[in-house]
Amino acid sequence: MLPEISLHVLDTAENSVRAGAVFVEIEVAVSTAEDSLSITIKDNGSGMDPEQVQRVTDPFFTTRTTRKVGLGVPFFKQAAEISGGSFQITSEKGKGTVLTARFVLSSIDRMPLGDMSMTVHNLMVYHEEVDFRYRYACDGREFVLDTREMKEMLGDVPLHSPEVSAFIMDYLKENHREVSGGKNL
């Protein structure tokens, strides 16, 4: 199992990219009042048929031809459920997939959120052919970073250029700190 939730997010978003998504939404929502940490990843990739949706949490099922097992989604599901949370995946062939993992925030069995700044940065900078919208919310405060808006402002300047890449990382880190109020999740 991956040691941080952010690595599960990275793995799932990479699945979205491999499924041909051109737009991926990632949302992290924390509520201390509800004792919850919720992760939602939504894409417009190729989607799955009902049989694939039923089997996607089976570690011995994968749509990839390069290997015989697919552990990413089953481990993500296990991580959420071990904390007392839940896991749901819905998909429609040709329309995309939505995955939601809910964790009990205070559970001793909940793995740490990890470095979401690095995860989101890497997705945005290394998959410029895909647009990402990232929303992070914590106890009523939030921020959003959308590559569509950034690309419109930047014109021909690529997201992977050193200055833009550094700006994205700094923006994510600063806003995570500010929105989470210093909470170590």
Side-chain angles (χ1 to χ4, degrees), residues 12-149:
T12 303
E14 291 283 354
N15 288 345
S16 295
V17 172
R18 278 192 295 279
V22 294
F23 184 59
V24 179
E25 295 179 79
I26 301 169
E27 181 175 302
V28 177
V30 178
S31 172
T32 53
E34 295 175 13
D35 197 24
S36 72
L37 167 62
S38 177
I39 309 284
T40 301
I41 303 164
K42 179 180 181 181
D43 72 50
N44 67 352
S46 60
M48 296 178 281
D49 62 40
E51 180 188 338
Q52 289 173 315
V53 172
Q54 276 190 317
R55 296 186 63 204
V56 76
T57 58
D58 175 352
F60 299 105
F61 172 78
T62 183
T63 57
R64 292 178 68 177
T65 56
T66 56
R67 62 180 185 220
K68 303 250 187 251
V69 294
L71 298 175
V73 173
F75 278 168
F76 200 0
K77 179 180 189 276
Q78 180 186 22
E81 291 176 347
I82 274 179
S83 79
S86 62
F87 185 90
Q88 180 181 7
I89 189 164
T90 59
S91 188
E92 189 175 336
K93 200 78 170 157
K95 296 206 174 173
T97 302
V98 179
L99 177 149
T100 302
R102 289 189 175 83
F103 298 81
V104 174
L105 189 59
S106 65
S107 173
I108 194 164
D109 294 319
R110 179 187 59 86
M111 60 181 54
L113 179 58
D115 192 347
M116 284 302 300
S117 295
M118 182 64 76
T119 292
V120 173
H121 169 271
N122 287 346
L123 288 167
M124 289 179 171
V125 170
Y126 296 114
H127 292 293
E128 286 194 64
E129 73 284 6
V130 178
D131 282 313
F132 291 91
R133 180 183 186 276
Y134 175 64
R135 177 180 174 264
Y136 179 81
C138 182
D139 293 334
R141 294 184 303 238
E142 69 175 51
F143 79 94
V144 174
L145 185 59
D146 192 322
T147 59
R148 296 170 300 182
E149 294 171 0

